[in-house]
Amino acid sequence: MSKLSLLLLLFISIIICSVNGQNIDPNRQWNMYRGNYAGGILDNVHLPETWDVKSGKNIAWKTEIPGMGNSCPIVWDNSVFVTTAVSEGDTGEVQTGIYGSIIPVEDSSIHNWNLYCIEKSTGEIKWERTAHTGVPEQKRHPMSSHANCTPATNGEYVVAFFGSEGLYCYNMEGELQWSKDFGVLKSTFFLVADAEWEFSSSPLIHENVVIIQCDVQENSFLAAYNIKTGEEIWKQNRDEYPGWGTPNIYYDGDRPRVVVNGYKHRGAYDFESGEEIWRMSGGGDIPIPTPIVGNDYIYFNSAHGKVAPIYAIQKNATGDITLAEDETSNEYVKWAKLRGGSYMGTMLLYGNYLYCARWNGRLTCYNALTGEEMYAEKVGGGNSYTSSPVAADGVIYIADNNGVVYSVLAGSIYILLEENKLDDVCMSTPAISDRYLFFRTARYLIAVSGIQD
């Protein structure tokens, strides 16, 4: 072959690779906790209405995941990523139900913290990496695990956060790029220091920057890192109780903001500098849900303590916007509900309706613009619900901890469409991809799809 022919072949290969790369729409990837900026929605995916794990009906594959993890799966193109912690001694059992025990699980065995990359179409494990090996620095709650943080990816890198066991960045082939050790991140009940419940805030990637929120018992902070090098861009200390929420991004005009849930310090920071933009105190004193964005508002909810609020905050908020006692609006708070927020679940904004799924399975639908309550209904007969709702093609999916998945018609009237069983404990929020619905259960990663090999 001539030199000219070789150059021509190389040029054609580069063009093909470039075109193929452009075919991956980043907005249709489930690239972090609850998908694109935690929105929890992916339409035009054509999911089956029913499935059956035992018979295999509409089950594309079921892959066993060793160990234990409440982290959620994420998807980029044909790769599914999930994390786990494999123990030499912990049996991996979780205690479902609604109860008030704060006593952590005693376990001092050696663990491996692993990241898996799985082929979306087949369920085959493409690669597995052990990020850290050792005895956990923090104990876990009976409903928790040592791998609670959902990974994040931008299609070039995938980031896994294991709290006190570190932050790790890999390329898509599983090669470690960099890692960071933040020491012990004390995720405890703020009133009882011995009540260790393990870390759970997932990383966020925006414009090649990794954002992490570490609200812990001592030295809380929010920080930004260059995804290619791990170099710290900025870090802001926070005076905050321990929390388990994931940060998010919104735009005030053309200015990106990092928004976080919290009790002492719910609020937003400038994405480029880390400068505080606004703050608000009050609400549930153990904040877990992630703020969500839409209709020119940022929506928050939380529970535990005196109130369990839902807030709709304007994107142009500045300064301290804390509500006065019993107040439900001010210059920047469009509307608020002082009761009704969920303890565990992140809300779902679908069209002009806001859905809040509580720990006991009660689903409340609000007019997202006005706060008017449209309905409040118990979904199914589950004993507890920690999975946050997601939606596709006009259907909302909510899983209880017993592994029953409820399909609810989106809209202002409550209509239960289907009940499908996973036949395993389910603590995690599902992921959606074209023609696939992925569930992380206690033992498996399950792909629901009308496409079967």
Side-chain angles (χ1 to χ4, degrees):
M1 183 180 290
S2 68
K3 186 175 180 180
L4 180 61
S5 298
L6 283 171
L7 289 173
L8 182 59
L9 182 60
L10 178 61
F11 177 76
I12 292 172
S13 299
I14 292 172
I15 293 297
I16 290 173
C17 289
S18 176
V19 171
N20 287 340
Q22 291 174 357
N23 288 336
I24 300 175
D25 183 354
N27 295 319
R28 292 192 61 78
Q29 309 306 307
W30 204 268
N31 58 346
M32 61 172 283
Y33 166 69
R34 278 251 302 205
N36 194 31
Y37 296 106
I41 298 168
L42 190 64
D43 286 330
N44 301 313
V45 291
H46 311 292
L47 301 175
E49 295 180 0
T50 60
W51 63 85
D52 186 271
V53 171
K54 287 185 177 179
S55 69
K57 176 186 176 184
N58 289 327
I59 302 296
W61 48 262
K62 183 173 74 169
T63 298
E64 185 173 2
I65 304 296
M68 182 180 182
N70 288 348
S71 59
C72 310
I74 63 169
V75 187
W76 188 278
D77 193 24
N78 199 38
S79 294
V80 184
F81 299 93
V82 69
T83 62
T84 188
V86 182
S87 168
E88 292 179 352
D90 196 333
T91 60
E93 295 180 359
V94 295
Q95 181 180 341
T96 63
I98 297 177
Y99 53 90
S101 174
I102 64 173
I103 301 173
V105 176
E106 292 292 339
D107 177 25
S108 58
S109 67
I110 299 293
H111 287 61
N112 288 327
W113 282 263
N114 297 337
L115 172 66
Y116 282 88
C117 178
I118 297 167
E119 188 83 13
K120 183 175 83 169
S121 56
T122 66
E124 295 182 3
I125 296 174
K126 296 202 286 188
W127 51 259
E128 170 193 357
R129 298 292 181 267
T130 297
H132 181 80
T133 299
V135 176
E137 295 285 354
Q138 290 278 277
K139 298 180 179 69
R140 68 175 180 88
H141 188 277
M143 293 187 75
S144 182
S145 75
H146 289 297
N148 299 313
C149 306
T150 299
T153 183
N154 64 352
E156 187 176 2
Y157 302 98
V158 57
V159 176
F161 196 11
F162 295 109
S164 299
E165 279 64 48
L167 175 68
Y168 300 84
C169 179
Y170 298 85
N171 65 18
M172 301 301 274
E173 288 72 46
E175 298 169 335
L176 182 65
Q177 306 298 293
W178 53 266
S179 64
K180 288 192 174 294
D181 182 356
F182 302 103
V184 179
L185 298 174
K186 296 183 179 180
S187 296
T188 63
F189 181 27
F190 70 95
L191 292 176
V192 184
D194 292 337
E196 300 177 7
W197 293 344
E198 207 23 303
F199 194 81
S200 187
S201 180
S202 301
L204 161 74
I205 300 173
H206 179 70
E207 294 183 356
N208 294 322
V209 174
V210 180
I211 304 290
I212 61 169
Q213 178 183 357
C214 296
D215 287 343
V216 288
Q217 192 73 24
E218 301 172 357
N219 303 318
S220 297
F221 67 90
L222 181 73
Y225 301 93
N226 183 305
I227 197 170
K228 294 182 180 180
T229 66
E231 178 185 2
E232 182 181 295
I233 299 171
W234 54 259
K235 181 179 180 181
Q236 283 285 0
N237 295 328
R238 285 170 51 78
D239 177 20
E240 184 55 276
Y241 289 153
W244 288 262
T246 295
N248 209 343
I249 295 287
Y250 74 91
Y251 277 83
D252 178 13
D254 60 355
R255 295 164 295 185
R257 310 298 195 199
V258 181
V259 62
V260 297
N261 205 350
Y263 174 67
K264 293 183 183 180
H265 192 175
R266 177 187 308 105
Y269 300 78
D270 183 79
F271 170 74
E272 294 180 354
S273 68
E275 178 187 1
E276 180 184 298
I277 303 300
W278 64 267
R279 65 162 56 206
M280 181 185 189
S281 62
D285 56 25
I286 300 179
I288 298 173
T290 297
I292 56 173
V293 180
N295 295 332
D296 291 327
Y297 300 110
I298 312 108
Y299 296 93
F300 294 84
N301 73 299
S302 58
H304 193 273
K306 187 168 65 173
V307 295
I310 300 173
Y311 300 116
I313 310 296
Q314 296 178 184
K315 291 182 178 180
N316 63 342
T318 58
D320 190 333
I321 67 168
T322 301
L323 291 170
E325 188 174 357
D326 297 327
E327 193 176 35
T328 59
S329 65
N330 61 25
E331 181 181 2
Y332 295 116
V333 180
K334 176 64 175 179
W335 59 264
K337 299 287 183 180
L338 301 184
R339 302 295 304 177
S342 61
Y343 184 26
M344 301 286 185
T346 294
M347 297 187 294
L348 177 73
L349 178 64
Y350 201 14
N352 287 328
Y353 296 108
L354 184 68
Y355 302 88
C356 181
R358 300 178 70 179
W359 192 6
N360 62 1
R362 188 173 183 84
L363 179 66
T364 305
C365 173
Y366 298 95
N367 181 311
L369 300 177
T370 66
E372 178 188 2
E373 183 178 307
M374 311 309 295
Y375 69 74
E377 299 285 348
K378 170 66 183 290
V379 179
N383 66 348
S384 56
Y385 301 64
T386 56
S387 173
S388 298
V390 297
D393 299 331
V395 177
I396 299 169
Y397 299 94
I398 304 172
D400 69 27
N401 290 155
N402 295 326
V404 180
V405 183
Y406 305 94
S407 301
V408 176
L409 185 68
S412 60
I413 300 174
Y414 176 77
I415 300 175
L416 179 63
L417 300 173
E418 300 288 348
E419 296 184 14
N420 294 288
K421 296 182 179 180
L422 298 172
D423 293 314
D424 198 6
V425 171
C426 182
M427 309 293 290
S428 305
T429 299
I432 304 173
S433 185
D434 288 325
R435 298 186 178 274
Y436 286 90
L437 184 58
F438 296 99
F439 291 94
R440 174 30 168 333
T441 69
R443 293 175 294 169
Y444 301 100
L445 184 61
I446 301 171
V448 173
S449 179
I451 304 173
Q452 299 182 62
D453 294 333

